[in-house]
Amino acid sequence: MPRVDLTADPLARSDAAMLAVAAFAGDGDDAPPVPADGAGALGEALGIDLAAELQAVGFSGSPGEVVRIPTRGAVTASTVVVVGLGAADDATADHLRRAAAAVAGAAERVETLATDLPAALDTAEASDAAAAVVEGLLLGSYRFGTYRSEAPVHRLEAVTLHVGDADAAGDAVAAAQVTADATLFARDLVNTPPQDKRPPALAERVAESFADSDVQVRILDEQALADGGYGGILGVGRGSSEPPRLVELTYAPDGASRHVALVGKGITFDTGGISLKPSEAMETMKMDMAGAATVAAVVRAAADLRLPVKVTGLLALAENMPSGTATRVSDVLTMKGGKTVEVINTDAEGRLVLGDALVHASEQGPDAIVDIATLTGAAVVALGERIGVLMASDDALAGDLLAASRRTGEAFWQLPLATEQYGERLEGAIADLRNAGSRSAGTIFAGLFLHEFVGDGIPWAHLDIAGVAWTDEPYGYHAKGATGVPVRTLVRWLQAG
Ligand code: BES
Ligand code: MN
Ligand code: ZN
């Protein structure tokens, strides 16, 4: 990850190899783009009329549009990059993130970059704007090169942000670096091929990542899971030659104001089990542990930021494989806490591992529980790859999470916890519950199932990230592959107190 420095000096005096400034779209179809304040000043330093120059090369200032302007020796940098922010009165912090990511793309071959992008927006607090630019640059320059013989190099080493008040932006920028780093940690775990993150190995890798931190790590192995009655996790894991794990992370700062439990679905590969998936549906199923990766990343950020909140993180890890030892369709599992579940479909495995983990979380007596899971294909059908699903038993908790989501640009939309309408579908023919219902309202059914395992009266929210955790095409500050959504939303929510 590139280093980030702050300064109040004018951009024209920077000694970076590349400078980046912003321009807004003009008002009306043929109107010229409008350089942001600092861009106009840089134009003067270059001895050009930047607006006229931009119009001449057909640059309109639409969001994320990028054009390079040669500097011909007028300043130290050899190139100036101008990035579009769209119409000035619509530009948001997320436009800044996306613009910064576009700049990061243009800066792939330089080592040093300087930009005054945060100063462009007067609709956002200076510190929020600086944080957004840092996030956009760091998330936008991410490449997963671990498995290539020649790693794709992003040469950018240092970024200097030119902001009006460097002291005021300092804390927000430091926090943005921590959050971006955690997001990229989640992306790395999700992008890792499934052979290298089978449950015991993934549990160890997560534990190692907390070696020098204030976070306690406890790993429940198959014996501990059997002793504790975790029939859901064991039932899903039994088809695999590698046993399941439940990882418990505890960050408990002195004087914590509240206690939050985060529960992540960690299916390290989802074949569907005996209810085997067709080949294409399996292609991306190494991402089925994105919820667990999110939890690990959020706990890491909470500890790095020294947030005054106790956080218990639970990673329910299992590999869902078909085999002679796998759970059968119509087998009955006894979950932690004693509820019984008839397995109608072994591909509805996430709710089985999460049920156990939610009971475990509830036993710790938290003030709120949030689970994060790539749970249902139906969530992808309903809202696609760029909007996640939220369901909740508590309106205040839902509202707080949605408010955090709006500030991070990670969109979520609420679906109803429709107990009245669909609760009866949960009933098993011979057991308490069944793990799959009718074809309709698949996302709601899954949420209702999970709710059965949440302790009475504990505010609970469920994030179905089946669509948003992964992208087959790059967009905004997301490369193809793992997105790291919703790490930033959850960190923002914890930061709110
Ligand atoms: N991991 C999948 C859900 C999924 C689908 C995530 C597509 C990401 C992209 C989950 O375990 C699953 O298979 N769900 C089934 C449930 C059904 C059998 C009730 C589904 O959604 O089809
Ligand atoms: Mn499945
Ligand atoms: Zn799954």
Side-chain angles (χ1 to χ4, degrees):
M1 226 174 52
R3 197 181 76 230
V4 180
D5 295 306
L6 287 169
T7 177
D9 290 348
L11 194 58
R13 270 200 255 132
S14 166
D15 57 8
M18 183 180 272
L19 308 182
V21 294
F24 297 103
D27 200 4
D29 275 353
D30 295 322
V34 183
D37 279 353
L42 185 63
E44 281 165 35
L46 298 178
I48 58 171
D49 174 350
L50 189 61
E53 202 88 0
L54 291 173
Q55 194 174 29
V57 296
F59 178 89
S60 68
S62 62
E65 186 181 0
V66 163
V67 69
R68 291 159 189 269
I69 311 267
T71 60
R72 303 183 205 289
V75 294
T76 311
S78 56
T79 318
V80 168
V81 167
V82 184
V83 64
L85 281 175
D89 43 9
D90 298 337
T92 64
D94 207 50
H95 284 87
L96 272 185
R97 271 185 214 102
R98 283 178 260 159
V103 167
E108 192 147 18
R109 295 186 196 293
V110 298
E111 285 171 11
T112 53
L113 169 76
T115 180
D116 68 352
L117 261 178
L121 273 202
D122 43 45
T123 50
E125 297 262 334
S127 55
D128 279 358
V133 170
V134 169
E135 288 177 359
L137 287 168
L138 299 182
L139 299 177
S141 54
Y142 172 79
R143 304 286 180 271
F144 184 64
T146 314
Y147 291 83
R148 290 199 191 274
S149 55
E150 269 173 71
V153 276
H154 200 294
R155 291 169 57 187
L156 194 58
E157 282 171 6
V159 178
T160 306
L161 292 193
H162 290 250
V163 291
D165 187 343
D167 290 336
D171 287 349
V173 164
Q177 284 176 274
V178 168
T179 310
D181 184 58
T183 307
L184 301 186
F185 173 55
R187 286 190 191 176
D188 276 347
L189 292 177
V190 175
N191 282 328
T192 296
Q195 94 245 41
D196 286 343
K197 60 179 179 192
R198 301 182 74 198
L202 182 55
E204 282 307 323
R205 178 160 169 195
V206 168
E208 273 163 31
S209 77
F210 287 103
D212 302 314
S213 75
D214 293 342
V215 175
Q216 276 82 54
V217 182
R218 183 157 80 104
I219 299 176
L220 278 69
D221 65 10
E222 63 274 32
Q223 190 58 55
L225 292 170
D227 294 345
Y230 296 78
I233 299 178
L234 289 166
V236 173
R238 38 181 297 199
S240 171
S241 59
E242 287 280 6
R245 294 284 184 264
L246 179 66
V247 180
E248 183 187 70
L249 306 172
T250 309
Y251 166 64
D254 289 340
S257 58
R258 57 174 174 148
H259 177 196
V260 162
L262 303 175
V263 176
K265 170 176 173 181
I267 301 301
T268 63
F269 191 67
D270 184 10
T271 65
I274 294 299
S275 313
L276 195 66
K277 285 183 184 296
S279 316
E280 300 92 82
M282 226 184 274
E283 277 173 25
T284 57
M285 282 302 128
K286 70 173 181 184
M287 58 77 105
D288 213 19
M289 38 59 76
T294 299
V295 170
V298 173
V299 173
R300 165 163 158 170
D304 286 353
L305 293 169
R306 308 199 157 283
L307 298 182
V309 180
K310 177 176 175 185
V311 186
T312 300
L314 295 169
L315 287 65
L317 309 180
E319 188 179 46
N320 190 20
M321 299 290 273
S323 79
T325 61
T327 290
R328 286 157 288 259
V329 170
S330 73
D331 274 351
V332 173
L333 303 177
T334 302
M335 308 281 284
K336 181 162 183 65
K339 285 197 171 138
T340 58
V341 178
E342 207 169 315
V343 180
I344 303 300
N345 191 317
T346 65
D347 198 11
E349 83 298 339
R351 58 202 74 179
L352 298 173
V353 301
L354 288 169
D356 281 350
L358 286 167
V359 172
H360 181 113
S362 299
E363 286 176 354
Q364 325 253 312
D367 301 309
I369 301 178
V370 180
D371 78 70
I372 305 100
T374 48
L375 204 62
T376 63
V380 196
V381 174
L383 298 179
E385 290 81 9
R386 301 188 189 185
I387 305 172
V389 171
L390 174 137
M391 292 173 67
S393 65
D394 182 275
D395 288 342
L397 176 59
D400 290 347
L401 286 164
L402 290 172
S405 129
R406 273 190 293 276
R407 290 187 66 180
T408 58
E410 297 178 332
F412 277 83
W413 198 262
Q414 190 168 1
L415 286 185
L417 191 66
T419 313
E420 268 320 290
Q421 293 80 8
Y422 303 129
E424 67 198 35
R425 293 188 184 178
L426 292 172
E427 198 177 323
I430 66 163
D432 301 341
L433 298 165
R434 54 185 192 154
N435 79 328
S438 56
R439 275 171 53 87
S440 72
T443 302
I444 292 175
F445 179 96
L448 289 173
F449 182 92
L450 296 182
H451 191 215
E452 293 293 312
F453 298 91
V454 177
D456 283 341
I458 305 176
W460 162 78
H462 158 60
L463 301 178
D464 191 333
I465 58 166
V468 294
W470 184 266
T471 179
D472 285 326
E473 56 190 3
Y475 71 96
Y477 34 85
H478 303 295
K480 187 171 147 58
T483 61
V485 175
V487 172
R488 289 181 304 112
T489 294
L490 291 167
V491 174
R492 173 66 74 176
W493 171 63
L494 293 176
Q495 280 175 314

